[in-house]
Structures are given as structure tokens and as C-alpha cells.
């Protein structure tokens, strides 16, 4: 979707407008939803009455339905998405390595801390803006981002080896020096 510039700009503009109405002007979601519904019903009422005056017949509502195939596709998509989510949860919780589980728990904990600092609408707005701009940035600067990532990975390996050399080896040596030594006597085989 990010490759369609007009659609992306429209989504970001609508999200920004919604966020401004909800956060800056402090409107309640239920109020905005009611006003939107009132506008839609009033517009539909006015259109139907104007249509009756101009064409001398009632407007046809035969095209305003969801076909059975569309409904089945929507249900299938919802079912597949929920099954995939359940499979992922089971895989992370029961089948993955401990670090995948730990990373998932830490990620969810960070998400909960972010949730404490902000409300849902701001979080959805930030997610929308990031979701629409990050792919464009990645597509444009892919090589530079990968190069920087490799450099950062090399620096972190150097930092880990320095910490390992200075701290962890000393701790291991102290633990080995304080542990009781058990000598195993070998039997001489004649």
C-alpha cells in the first residue's frame, strides 16, 4: 500500500485528522462516531429525496449487499488469521527456544509500558504513520541501513569480547579458585 502515494497520503492525512480531533480537541470517540453516523444518514436521506424529485422514482437499493462469496472470503480470512495467531502463540510458548520466549515476553512488557504512557488512539496513530513511512525509508536507504547494522553488530561483538575479557573471565577465575577441588586418582593398570 505504501507504493501508492495518493492512498498513503490519504491514510496518513485521515489518521492525523482523526488523532487531532480526538487528542487535541479532546473529543470522545463515541461523540465523533455519532456525529459521523448522523452526517452519513442525513446525506443519504437528502440524496434519496433529491433522487425522488429528479427521477420521479425511488432509488434502487439492489446493489447494496454483500455477496455470499465476499462474506465467505472475509470469514475465511478471519479464520486463517486467528489460526495463524494461535499457531504462533503455541510455537513461541511451547516449542521455541528460551530466548525466543524471553524476547517475546520482553517485547510485550515494553509494549505494556508504552501503553501506560499513551492511550490507544495515539498508539494507533503512531503505528499508522510508522507503518506508512518506514517501508518507504527502508526501500530508499536499504543499503545504508544494512551497512550501519553490520557496523553496529561488529561494535557490539567487540564490546562483548571486552566485557568478557575484563569482567566475566575474572568472575569465572574467582569461582574456580573458590570451588573445592576434587582430584581423581588413577589406578595403575599392570
Amino acid at each position: 500500500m505504501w507504493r501508492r502515494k495518493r492512498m498513503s497520503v490519504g491514510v496518513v492525512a485521515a489518521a492525523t485528522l482523526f488523532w487531532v480531533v480526538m487528542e487535541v480537541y479532546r473529543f470522545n470517540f463515541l461523540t465523533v462516531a455519532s456525529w459521523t453516523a448522523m452526517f452519513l444518514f442525513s446525506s443519504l436521506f437528502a440524496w434519496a429525496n433529491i433522487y425522488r424529485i429528479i427521477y420521479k422514482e425511488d432509488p434502487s437499493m439492489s446493489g447494496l449487499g454483500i455477496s455470499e462469496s465476499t462474506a465467505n472470503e472475509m470469514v475465511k480470512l478471519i479464520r486463517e488469521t486467528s489460526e495463524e495467531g494461535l499457531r504462533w502463540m503455541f510455537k513461541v510458548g511451547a516449542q521455541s527456544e528460551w530466548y525466543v520466549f524471553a524476547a517475546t515476553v520482553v517485547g510485550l512488557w515494553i509494549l505494556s509500558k508504552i501503553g501506560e504512557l499513551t492511550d490507544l488512539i495515539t498508539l494507533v496513530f503512531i503505528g499508522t504513520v510508522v507503518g506508512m513511512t518506514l517501508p518507504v525509508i527502508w526501500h530508499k536507504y536499504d543499503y545504508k541501513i544494512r551497512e550501519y547494522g553490520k557496523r553496529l553488530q561488529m561494535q557490539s561483538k567487540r564490546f562483548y569480547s571486552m566485557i568478557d575479557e575484563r569482567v566475566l573471565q575474572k568472575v569465572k577465575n574467582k569461582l574456580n579458585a573458590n570451588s573445592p577441588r576434587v582430584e581423581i586418582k588413577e589406578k595403575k593398570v599392570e
Side-chain angles (χ1 to χ4, degrees):
M1 189 161 100
W2 61 271
R3 290 183 189 252
R4 299 184 213 160
K5 291 181 181 176
R6 288 186 181 186
M7 184 181 229
S8 297
V9 169
V11 168
V12 170
T16 303
L17 179 69
F18 184 72
W19 182 81
V20 165
V21 166
M22 299 301 283
E23 290 297 317
V24 175
Y25 293 118
R26 297 285 180 201
F27 282 110
N28 189 350
F29 175 74
L30 195 56
T31 304
V32 173
S34 297
W35 286 353
T36 305
M38 285 189 297
F39 174 74
L40 290 173
F41 282 122
S42 299
S43 300
L44 184 63
F45 179 77
W47 171 78
N49 284 325
I50 291 172
Y51 190 89
R52 278 189 207 107
I53 290 171
I54 293 174
Y55 296 107
K56 306 287 187 219
E57 63 182 36
D58 287 339
S60 173
M61 300 295 173
S62 62
L64 293 177
I66 298 176
S67 67
E68 188 174 340
S69 63
T70 304
N72 287 336
E73 287 176 19
M74 288 172 32
V75 168
K76 183 180 176 186
L77 179 68
I78 291 170
R79 183 181 55 82
E80 288 174 354
T81 305
S82 61
E83 284 177 356
E84 185 66 31
L86 288 172
R87 270 191 228 107
W88 178 81
M89 284 174 41
F90 182 75
K91 180 182 172 190
V92 169
Q95 295 178 343
S96 292
E97 299 292 328
W98 67 269
Y99 53 85
V100 175
F101 172 73
T104 304
V105 170
V106 168
L108 291 172
W109 178 75
I110 289 171
L111 189 63
S112 74
K113 289 301 177 187
I114 291 170
E116 288 177 7
L117 299 174
T118 184
D119 58 346
L120 179 65
I121 294 172
T122 303
L123 202 59
V124 168
F125 173 69
I126 291 170
T128 303
V129 171
V130 168
M132 298 303 274
T133 56
L134 204 61
V136 175
I137 293 170
W138 181 265
H139 185 70
K140 191 172 184 179
Y141 300 108
D142 178 28
Y143 179 73
K144 291 181 181 180
I145 293 171
R146 288 182 193 271
E147 183 180 307
Y148 182 73
K150 287 179 183 176
R151 209 173 331 134
L152 189 64
Q153 187 178 16
M154 289 174 57
Q155 287 177 352
S156 66
K157 284 181 181 179
R158 253 186 296 167
F159 180 71
Y160 176 76
S161 64
M162 182 182 68
I163 294 294
D164 184 47
E165 179 183 308
R166 291 184 182 172
V167 178
L168 296 177
Q169 291 300 325
K170 289 180 182 178
V171 170
K172 286 179 184 177
N173 291 338
K174 284 184 181 181
L175 287 175
N176 287 338
N178 292 338
S179 65
R181 294 183 187 203
V182 178
E183 294 183 18
I184 301 173
K185 295 182 180 181
E186 294 181 20
K187 293 182 179 179
K188 291 185 181 179
V189 178
E190 295 180 17

PDB file of all heavy atoms in Angstrom, residues 149-181:
ATOM      1  N   GLY A 149      23.853  -1.503  10.193  1.00  0.00           N
ATOM      2  CA  GLY A 149      23.538  -2.644  11.053  1.00  0.00           C
ATOM      3  C   GLY A 149      24.733  -3.571  11.212  1.00  0.00           C
ATOM      4  O   GLY A 149      25.011  -4.056  12.318  1.00  0.00           O
ATOM      5  N   LYS A 150      25.456  -3.827  10.120  1.00  0.00           N
ATOM      6  CA  LYS A 150      26.654  -4.665  10.209  1.00  0.00           C
ATOM      7  C   LYS A 150      27.720  -4.003  11.077  1.00  0.00           C
ATOM      8  O   LYS A 150      28.374  -4.665  11.886  1.00  0.00           O
ATOM      9  CB  LYS A 150      27.201  -4.944   8.813  1.00  0.00           C
ATOM     10  CG  LYS A 150      26.368  -5.912   8.014  1.00  0.00           C
ATOM     11  CD  LYS A 150      26.944  -6.124   6.633  1.00  0.00           C
ATOM     12  CE  LYS A 150      26.045  -7.043   5.809  1.00  0.00           C
ATOM     13  NZ  LYS A 150      26.541  -7.191   4.437  1.00  0.00           N
ATOM     14  N   ARG A 151      27.893  -2.692  10.902  1.00  0.00           N
ATOM     15  CA  ARG A 151      28.865  -1.965  11.724  1.00  0.00           C
ATOM     16  C   ARG A 151      28.477  -2.018  13.205  1.00  0.00           C
ATOM     17  O   ARG A 151      29.323  -2.233  14.074  1.00  0.00           O
ATOM     18  CB  ARG A 151      28.945  -0.510  11.244  1.00  0.00           C
ATOM     19  CG  ARG A 151      30.273   0.108  11.491  1.00  0.00           C
ATOM     20  CD  ARG A 151      30.450   1.486  10.875  1.00  0.00           C
ATOM     21  NE  ARG A 151      29.669   1.720   9.676  1.00  0.00           N
ATOM     22  CZ  ARG A 151      28.969   2.818   9.463  1.00  0.00           C
ATOM     23  NH1 ARG A 151      28.958   3.783  10.351  1.00  0.00           N
ATOM     24  NH2 ARG A 151      28.286   2.978   8.352  1.00  0.00           N
ATOM     25  N   LEU A 152      27.204  -1.848  13.483  1.00  0.00           N
ATOM     26  CA  LEU A 152      26.720  -1.911  14.863  1.00  0.00           C
ATOM     27  C   LEU A 152      26.899  -3.310  15.444  1.00  0.00           C
ATOM     28  O   LEU A 152      27.272  -3.462  16.616  1.00  0.00           O
ATOM     29  CB  LEU A 152      25.246  -1.499  14.899  1.00  0.00           C
ATOM     30  CG  LEU A 152      24.606  -1.303  16.256  1.00  0.00           C
ATOM     31  CD1 LEU A 152      25.293  -0.149  16.977  1.00  0.00           C
ATOM     32  CD2 LEU A 152      23.138  -1.008  16.102  1.00  0.00           C
ATOM     33  N   GLN A 153      26.688  -4.340  14.631  1.00  0.00           N
ATOM     34  CA  GLN A 153      26.877  -5.714  15.096  1.00  0.00           C
ATOM     35  C   GLN A 153      28.348  -5.977  15.417  1.00  0.00           C
ATOM     36  O   GLN A 153      28.660  -6.611  16.433  1.00  0.00           O
ATOM     37  CB  GLN A 153      26.390  -6.679  14.020  1.00  0.00           C
ATOM     38  CG  GLN A 153      26.368  -8.116  14.449  1.00  0.00           C
ATOM     39  CD  GLN A 153      25.823  -9.022  13.351  1.00  0.00           C
ATOM     40  OE1 GLN A 153      25.738  -8.626  12.190  1.00  0.00           O
ATOM     41  NE2 GLN A 153      25.469 -10.225  13.720  1.00  0.00           N
ATOM     42  N   MET A 154      29.251  -5.476  14.603  1.00  0.00           N
ATOM     43  CA  MET A 154      30.678  -5.658  14.864  1.00  0.00           C
ATOM     44  C   MET A 154      31.095  -4.935  16.146  1.00  0.00           C
ATOM     45  O   MET A 154      31.857  -5.462  16.959  1.00  0.00           O
ATOM     46  CB  MET A 154      31.506  -5.166  13.674  1.00  0.00           C
ATOM     47  CG  MET A 154      31.395  -6.067  12.459  1.00  0.00           C
ATOM     48  SD  MET A 154      32.206  -5.421  10.988  1.00  0.00           S
ATOM     49  CE  MET A 154      33.861  -5.183  11.564  1.00  0.00           C
ATOM     50  N   GLN A 155      30.572  -3.727  16.347  1.00  0.00           N
ATOM     51  CA  GLN A 155      30.889  -2.984  17.564  1.00  0.00           C
ATOM     52  C   GLN A 155      30.351  -3.690  18.797  1.00  0.00           C
ATOM     53  O   GLN A 155      31.012  -3.729  19.834  1.00  0.00           O
ATOM     54  CB  GLN A 155      30.322  -1.564  17.482  1.00  0.00           C
ATOM     55  CG  GLN A 155      31.079  -0.663  16.547  1.00  0.00           C
ATOM     56  CD  GLN A 155      30.426   0.706  16.440  1.00  0.00           C
ATOM     57  OE1 GLN A 155      29.331   0.932  16.942  1.00  0.00           O
ATOM     58  NE2 GLN A 155      31.109   1.629  15.780  1.00  0.00           N
ATOM     59  N   SER A 156      29.158  -4.262  18.698  1.00  0.00           N
ATOM     60  CA  SER A 156      28.603  -4.966  19.856  1.00  0.00           C
ATOM     61  C   SER A 156      29.402  -6.226  20.158  1.00  0.00           C
ATOM     62  O   SER A 156      29.598  -6.577  21.321  1.00  0.00           O
ATOM     63  CB  SER A 156      27.127  -5.292  19.642  1.00  0.00           C
ATOM     64  OG  SER A 156      26.978  -6.209  18.594  1.00  0.00           O
ATOM     65  N   LYS A 157      29.899  -6.925  19.127  1.00  0.00           N
ATOM     66  CA  LYS A 157      30.750  -8.096  19.366  1.00  0.00           C
ATOM     67  C   LYS A 157      32.051  -7.691  20.044  1.00  0.00           C
ATOM     68  O   LYS A 157      32.521  -8.371  20.955  1.00  0.00           O
ATOM     69  CB  LYS A 157      31.047  -8.819  18.050  1.00  0.00           C
ATOM     70  CG  LYS A 157      29.896  -9.625  17.534  1.00  0.00           C
ATOM     71  CD  LYS A 157      30.257 -10.331  16.245  1.00  0.00           C
ATOM     72  CE  LYS A 157      29.081 -11.127  15.721  1.00  0.00           C
ATOM     73  NZ  LYS A 157      29.402 -11.799  14.455  1.00  0.00           N
ATOM     74  N   ARG A 158      32.648  -6.571  19.597  1.00  0.00           N
ATOM     75  CA  ARG A 158      33.869  -6.072  20.239  1.00  0.00           C
ATOM     76  C   ARG A 158      33.608  -5.699  21.693  1.00  0.00           C
ATOM     77  O   ARG A 158      34.398  -6.001  22.577  1.00  0.00           O
ATOM     78  CB  ARG A 158      34.393  -4.847  19.487  1.00  0.00           C
ATOM     79  CG  ARG A 158      35.631  -5.149  18.678  1.00  0.00           C
ATOM     80  CD  ARG A 158      36.191  -3.911  18.082  1.00  0.00           C
ATOM     81  NE  ARG A 158      35.171  -3.428  17.141  1.00  0.00           N
ATOM     82  CZ  ARG A 158      35.160  -2.248  16.580  1.00  0.00           C
ATOM     83  NH1 ARG A 158      36.104  -1.384  16.845  1.00  0.00           N
ATOM     84  NH2 ARG A 158      34.217  -1.891  15.762  1.00  0.00           N
ATOM     85  N   PHE A 159      32.483  -5.039  21.939  1.00  0.00           N
ATOM     86  CA  PHE A 159      32.138  -4.641  23.305  1.00  0.00           C
ATOM     87  C   PHE A 159      31.935  -5.878  24.179  1.00  0.00           C
ATOM     88  O   PHE A 159      32.395  -5.913  25.322  1.00  0.00           O
ATOM     89  CB  PHE A 159      30.875  -3.778  23.280  1.00  0.00           C
ATOM     90  CG  PHE A 159      30.436  -3.305  24.632  1.00  0.00           C
ATOM     91  CD1 PHE A 159      31.159  -2.348  25.319  1.00  0.00           C
ATOM     92  CD2 PHE A 159      29.293  -3.827  25.216  1.00  0.00           C
ATOM     93  CE1 PHE A 159      30.757  -1.921  26.566  1.00  0.00           C
ATOM     94  CE2 PHE A 159      28.882  -3.413  26.464  1.00  0.00           C
ATOM     95  CZ  PHE A 159      29.620  -2.449  27.135  1.00  0.00           C
ATOM     96  N   TYR A 160      31.254  -6.901  23.649  1.00  0.00           N
ATOM     97  CA  TYR A 160      31.038  -8.126  24.416  1.00  0.00           C
ATOM     98  C   TYR A 160      32.357  -8.820  24.727  1.00  0.00           C
ATOM     99  O   TYR A 160      32.565  -9.294  25.839  1.00  0.00           O
ATOM    100  CB  TYR A 160      30.114  -9.087  23.664  1.00  0.00           C
ATOM    101  CG  TYR A 160      29.953 -10.397  24.388  1.00  0.00           C
ATOM    102  CD1 TYR A 160      29.149 -10.492  25.514  1.00  0.00           C
ATOM    103  CD2 TYR A 160      30.638 -11.529  23.959  1.00  0.00           C
ATOM    104  CE1 TYR A 160      29.020 -11.681  26.197  1.00  0.00           C
ATOM    105  CE2 TYR A 160      30.518 -12.729  24.636  1.00  0.00           C
ATOM    106  CZ  TYR A 160      29.710 -12.800  25.756  1.00  0.00           C
ATOM    107  OH  TYR A 160      29.591 -13.981  26.428  1.00  0.00           O
ATOM    108  N   SER A 161      33.256  -8.880  23.740  1.00  0.00           N
ATOM    109  CA  SER A 161      34.545  -9.534  23.999  1.00  0.00           C
ATOM    110  C   SER A 161      35.346  -8.754  25.032  1.00  0.00           C
ATOM    111  O   SER A 161      36.040  -9.338  25.866  1.00  0.00           O
ATOM    112  CB  SER A 161      35.338  -9.704  22.711  1.00  0.00           C
ATOM    113  OG  SER A 161      35.682  -8.451  22.170  1.00  0.00           O
ATOM    114  N   MET A 162      35.242  -7.416  25.018  1.00  0.00           N
ATOM    115  CA  MET A 162      35.941  -6.602  26.013  1.00  0.00           C
ATOM    116  C   MET A 162      35.356  -6.862  27.407  1.00  0.00           C
ATOM    117  O   MET A 162      36.098  -7.062  28.374  1.00  0.00           O
ATOM    118  CB  MET A 162      35.811  -5.118  25.662  1.00  0.00           C
ATOM    119  CG  MET A 162      36.540  -4.199  26.623  1.00  0.00           C
ATOM    120  SD  MET A 162      36.319  -2.481  26.205  1.00  0.00           S
ATOM    121  CE  MET A 162      34.595  -2.245  26.564  1.00  0.00           C
ATOM    122  N   ILE A 163      34.036  -6.911  27.521  1.00  0.00           N
ATOM    123  CA  ILE A 163      33.392  -7.189  28.806  1.00  0.00           C
ATOM    124  C   ILE A 163      33.739  -8.600  29.259  1.00  0.00           C
ATOM    125  O   ILE A 163      34.028  -8.844  30.437  1.00  0.00           O
ATOM    126  CB  ILE A 163      31.865  -7.006  28.701  1.00  0.00           C
ATOM    127  CG1 ILE A 163      31.513  -5.559  28.439  1.00  0.00           C
ATOM    128  CG2 ILE A 163      31.148  -7.507  29.939  1.00  0.00           C
ATOM    129  CD1 ILE A 163      31.838  -4.623  29.563  1.00  0.00           C
ATOM    130  N   ASP A 164      33.720  -9.540  28.326  1.00  0.00           N
ATOM    131  CA  ASP A 164      34.054 -10.927  28.651  1.00  0.00           C
ATOM    132  C   ASP A 164      35.485 -11.022  29.176  1.00  0.00           C
ATOM    133  O   ASP A 164      35.749 -11.709  30.163  1.00  0.00           O
ATOM    134  CB  ASP A 164      33.884 -11.798  27.412  1.00  0.00           C
ATOM    135  CG  ASP A 164      34.131 -13.267  27.709  1.00  0.00           C
ATOM    136  OD1 ASP A 164      33.579 -13.750  28.725  1.00  0.00           O
ATOM    137  OD2 ASP A 164      34.857 -13.911  26.944  1.00  0.00           O
ATOM    138  N   GLU A 165      36.377 -10.312  28.529  1.00  0.00           N
ATOM    139  CA  GLU A 165      37.782 -10.360  28.925  1.00  0.00           C
ATOM    140  C   GLU A 165      38.006  -9.726  30.294  1.00  0.00           C
ATOM    141  O   GLU A 165      38.711 -10.258  31.136  1.00  0.00           O
ATOM    142  CB  GLU A 165      38.614  -9.643  27.861  1.00  0.00           C
ATOM    143  CG  GLU A 165      40.091  -9.596  28.138  1.00  0.00           C
ATOM    144  CD  GLU A 165      40.798  -8.806  27.049  1.00  0.00           C
ATOM    145  OE1 GLU A 165      40.599  -9.123  25.858  1.00  0.00           O
ATOM    146  OE2 GLU A 165      41.536  -7.866  27.405  1.00  0.00           O
ATOM    147  N   ARG A 166      37.389  -8.574  30.522  1.00  0.00           N
ATOM    148  CA  ARG A 166      37.653  -7.823  31.754  1.00  0.00           C
ATOM    149  C   ARG A 166      36.860  -8.320  32.953  1.00  0.00           C
ATOM    150  O   ARG A 166      37.360  -8.342  34.067  1.00  0.00           O
ATOM    151  CB  ARG A 166      37.354  -6.343  31.540  1.00  0.00           C
ATOM    152  CG  ARG A 166      38.318  -5.681  30.607  1.00  0.00           C
ATOM    153  CD  ARG A 166      38.033  -4.223  30.523  1.00  0.00           C
ATOM    154  NE  ARG A 166      38.952  -3.581  29.578  1.00  0.00           N
ATOM    155  CZ  ARG A 166      38.838  -2.343  29.202  1.00  0.00           C
ATOM    156  NH1 ARG A 166      37.854  -1.593  29.651  1.00  0.00           N
ATOM    157  NH2 ARG A 166      39.705  -1.843  28.359  1.00  0.00           N
ATOM    158  N   VAL A 167      35.621  -8.667  32.753  1.00  0.00           N
ATOM    159  CA  VAL A 167      34.750  -8.954  33.886  1.00  0.00           C
ATOM    160  C   VAL A 167      34.447 -10.444  34.025  1.00  0.00           C
ATOM    161  O   VAL A 167      34.686 -11.039  35.080  1.00  0.00           O
ATOM    162  CB  VAL A 167      33.430  -8.148  33.760  1.00  0.00           C
ATOM    163  CG1 VAL A 167      32.497  -8.465  34.904  1.00  0.00           C
ATOM    164  CG2 VAL A 167      33.716  -6.662  33.709  1.00  0.00           C
ATOM    165  N   LEU A 168      33.904 -11.013  32.980  1.00  0.00           N
ATOM    166  CA  LEU A 168      33.412 -12.380  33.094  1.00  0.00           C
ATOM    167  C   LEU A 168      34.529 -13.389  33.350  1.00  0.00           C
ATOM    168  O   LEU A 168      34.344 -14.327  34.123  1.00  0.00           O
ATOM    169  CB  LEU A 168      32.636 -12.768  31.836  1.00  0.00           C
ATOM    170  CG  LEU A 168      31.353 -11.956  31.580  1.00  0.00           C
ATOM    171  CD1 LEU A 168      30.713 -12.371  30.278  1.00  0.00           C
ATOM    172  CD2 LEU A 168      30.381 -12.107  32.722  1.00  0.00           C
ATOM    173  N   GLN A 169      35.699 -13.198  32.734  1.00  0.00           N
ATOM    174  CA  GLN A 169      36.808 -14.125  32.968  1.00  0.00           C
ATOM    175  C   GLN A 169      37.306 -14.041  34.406  1.00  0.00           C
ATOM    176  O   GLN A 169      37.651 -15.053  35.010  1.00  0.00           O
ATOM    177  CB  GLN A 169      37.953 -13.847  31.981  1.00  0.00           C
ATOM    178  CG  GLN A 169      37.622 -14.214  30.550  1.00  0.00           C
ATOM    179  CD  GLN A 169      37.294 -15.687  30.396  1.00  0.00           C
ATOM    180  OE1 GLN A 169      37.850 -16.553  31.060  1.00  0.00           O
ATOM    181  NE2 GLN A 169      36.340 -15.972  29.510  1.00  0.00           N
ATOM    182  N   LYS A 170      37.319 -12.815  34.967  1.00  0.00           N
ATOM    183  CA  LYS A 170      37.729 -12.668  36.364  1.00  0.00           C
ATOM    184  C   LYS A 170      36.748 -13.357  37.296  1.00  0.00           C
ATOM    185  O   LYS A 170      37.141 -14.001  38.269  1.00  0.00           O
ATOM    186  CB  LYS A 170      37.858 -11.186  36.722  1.00  0.00           C
ATOM    187  CG  LYS A 170      39.046 -10.522  36.066  1.00  0.00           C
ATOM    188  CD  LYS A 170      39.138  -9.062  36.457  1.00  0.00           C
ATOM    189  CE  LYS A 170      40.307  -8.399  35.741  1.00  0.00           C
ATOM    190  NZ  LYS A 170      40.405  -6.988  36.061  1.00  0.00           N
ATOM    191  N   VAL A 171      35.469 -13.224  37.004  1.00  0.00           N
ATOM    192  CA  VAL A 171      34.455 -13.868  37.836  1.00  0.00           C
ATOM    193  C   VAL A 171      34.593 -15.386  37.732  1.00  0.00           C
ATOM    194  O   VAL A 171      34.531 -16.099  38.743  1.00  0.00           O
ATOM    195  CB  VAL A 171      33.035 -13.406  37.423  1.00  0.00           C
ATOM    196  CG1 VAL A 171      31.978 -14.240  38.098  1.00  0.00           C
ATOM    197  CG2 VAL A 171      32.844 -11.937  37.745  1.00  0.00           C
ATOM    198  N   LYS A 172      34.804 -15.895  36.532  1.00  0.00           N
ATOM    199  CA  LYS A 172      34.971 -17.341  36.360  1.00  0.00           C
ATOM    200  C   LYS A 172      36.208 -17.833  37.094  1.00  0.00           C
ATOM    201  O   LYS A 172      36.187 -18.889  37.741  1.00  0.00           O
ATOM    202  CB  LYS A 172      35.082 -17.684  34.868  1.00  0.00           C
ATOM    203  CG  LYS A 172      33.780 -17.604  34.129  1.00  0.00           C
ATOM    204  CD  LYS A 172      33.986 -17.946  32.663  1.00  0.00           C
ATOM    205  CE  LYS A 172      32.700 -17.775  31.874  1.00  0.00           C
ATOM    206  NZ  LYS A 172      32.909 -18.026  30.442  1.00  0.00           N
ATOM    207  N   ASN A 173      37.294 -17.078  37.015  1.00  0.00           N
ATOM    208  CA  ASN A 173      38.522 -17.479  37.710  1.00  0.00           C
ATOM    209  C   ASN A 173      38.325 -17.503  39.215  1.00  0.00           C
ATOM    210  O   ASN A 173      38.806 -18.394  39.907  1.00  0.00           O
ATOM    211  CB  ASN A 173      39.680 -16.568  37.325  1.00  0.00           C
ATOM    212  CG  ASN A 173      40.113 -16.773  35.885  1.00  0.00           C
ATOM    213  OD1 ASN A 173      39.856 -17.824  35.303  1.00  0.00           O
ATOM    214  ND2 ASN A 173      40.756 -15.768  35.314  1.00  0.00           N
ATOM    215  N   LYS A 174      37.608 -16.500  39.747  1.00  0.00           N
ATOM    216  CA  LYS A 174      37.350 -16.459  41.192  1.00  0.00           C
ATOM    217  C   LYS A 174      36.464 -17.625  41.612  1.00  0.00           C
ATOM    218  O   LYS A 174      36.662 -18.215  42.665  1.00  0.00           O
ATOM    219  CB  LYS A 174      36.713 -15.135  41.601  1.00  0.00           C
ATOM    220  CG  LYS A 174      37.699 -14.000  41.637  1.00  0.00           C
ATOM    221  CD  LYS A 174      37.050 -12.734  42.131  1.00  0.00           C
ATOM    222  CE  LYS A 174      38.053 -11.603  42.137  1.00  0.00           C
ATOM    223  NZ  LYS A 174      37.467 -10.363  42.627  1.00  0.00           N
ATOM    224  N   LEU A 175      35.464 -17.934  40.812  1.00  0.00           N
ATOM    225  CA  LEU A 175      34.590 -19.055  41.141  1.00  0.00           C
ATOM    226  C   LEU A 175      35.348 -20.370  41.097  1.00  0.00           C
ATOM    227  O   LEU A 175      35.153 -21.242  41.939  1.00  0.00           O
ATOM    228  CB  LEU A 175      33.402 -19.110  40.186  1.00  0.00           C
ATOM    229  CG  LEU A 175      32.338 -18.038  40.386  1.00  0.00           C
ATOM    230  CD1 LEU A 175      31.290 -18.138  39.291  1.00  0.00           C
ATOM    231  CD2 LEU A 175      31.709 -18.153  41.752  1.00  0.00           C
ATOM    232  N   ASN A 176      36.233 -20.521  40.128  1.00  0.00           N
ATOM    233  CA  ASN A 176      37.017 -21.746  40.033  1.00  0.00           C
ATOM    234  C   ASN A 176      38.029 -21.835  41.175  1.00  0.00           C
ATOM    235  O   ASN A 176      38.323 -22.925  41.665  1.00  0.00           O
ATOM    236  CB  ASN A 176      37.741 -21.825  38.690  1.00  0.00           C
ATOM    237  CG  ASN A 176      36.781 -22.122  37.562  1.00  0.00           C
ATOM    238  OD1 ASN A 176      35.706 -22.656  37.791  1.00  0.00           O
ATOM    239  ND2 ASN A 176      37.172 -21.775  36.348  1.00  0.00           N
ATOM    240  N   ALA A 177      38.577 -20.708  41.633  1.00  0.00           N
ATOM    241  CA  ALA A 177      39.556 -20.719  42.718  1.00  0.00           C
ATOM    242  C   ALA A 177      38.888 -21.049  44.049  1.00  0.00           C
ATOM    243  O   ALA A 177      39.484 -21.687  44.917  1.00  0.00           O
ATOM    244  CB  ALA A 177      40.254 -19.368  42.811  1.00  0.00           C
ATOM    245  N   ASN A 178      37.636 -20.636  44.216  1.00  0.00           N
ATOM    246  CA  ASN A 178      36.943 -20.864  45.486  1.00  0.00           C
ATOM    247  C   ASN A 178      36.256 -22.221  45.549  1.00  0.00           C
ATOM    248  O   ASN A 178      35.889 -22.671  46.635  1.00  0.00           O
ATOM    249  CB  ASN A 178      35.893 -19.767  45.714  1.00  0.00           C
ATOM    250  CG  ASN A 178      36.544 -18.425  45.959  1.00  0.00           C
ATOM    251  OD1 ASN A 178      37.706 -18.356  46.364  1.00  0.00           O
ATOM    252  ND2 ASN A 178      35.814 -17.360  45.693  1.00  0.00           N
ATOM    253  N   SER A 179      36.083 -22.879  44.444  1.00  0.00           N
ATOM    254  CA  SER A 179      35.379 -24.161  44.467  1.00  0.00           C
ATOM    255  C   SER A 179      36.317 -25.256  44.965  1.00  0.00           C
ATOM    256  O   SER A 179      37.523 -25.223  44.725  1.00  0.00           O
ATOM    257  CB  SER A 179      34.862 -24.502  43.069  1.00  0.00           C
ATOM    258  OG  SER A 179      35.949 -24.710  42.203  1.00  0.00           O
ATOM    259  N   PRO A 180      35.768 -26.221  45.701  1.00  0.00           N
ATOM    260  CA  PRO A 180      36.623 -27.308  46.204  1.00  0.00           C
ATOM    261  C   PRO A 180      37.104 -28.171  45.047  1.00  0.00           C
ATOM    262  O   PRO A 180      36.355 -28.489  44.130  1.00  0.00           O
ATOM    263  CB  PRO A 180      35.706 -28.091  47.134  1.00  0.00           C
ATOM    264  CG  PRO A 180      34.333 -27.749  46.692  1.00  0.00           C
ATOM    265  CD  PRO A 180      34.401 -26.361  46.115  1.00  0.00           C
ATOM    266  N   ARG A 181      38.358 -28.533  45.133  1.00  0.00           N
ATOM    267  CA  ARG A 181      38.937 -29.322  44.051  1.00  0.00           C
ATOM    268  C   ARG A 181      38.843 -30.796  44.409  1.00  0.00           C
ATOM    269  O   ARG A 181      39.196 -31.208  45.507  1.00  0.00           O
ATOM    270  CB  ARG A 181      40.385 -28.945  43.822  1.00  0.00           C
ATOM    271  CG  ARG A 181      40.495 -27.535  43.326  1.00  0.00           C
ATOM    272  CD  ARG A 181      41.917 -27.209  43.030  1.00  0.00           C
ATOM    273  NE  ARG A 181      41.964 -25.785  42.721  1.00  0.00           N
ATOM    274  CZ  ARG A 181      42.903 -25.232  42.028  1.00  0.00           C
ATOM    275  NH1 ARG A 181      43.902 -25.948  41.583  1.00  0.00           N
ATOM    276  NH2 ARG A 181      42.874 -23.955  41.787  1.00  0.00           N
TER     277      ARG A 181
END
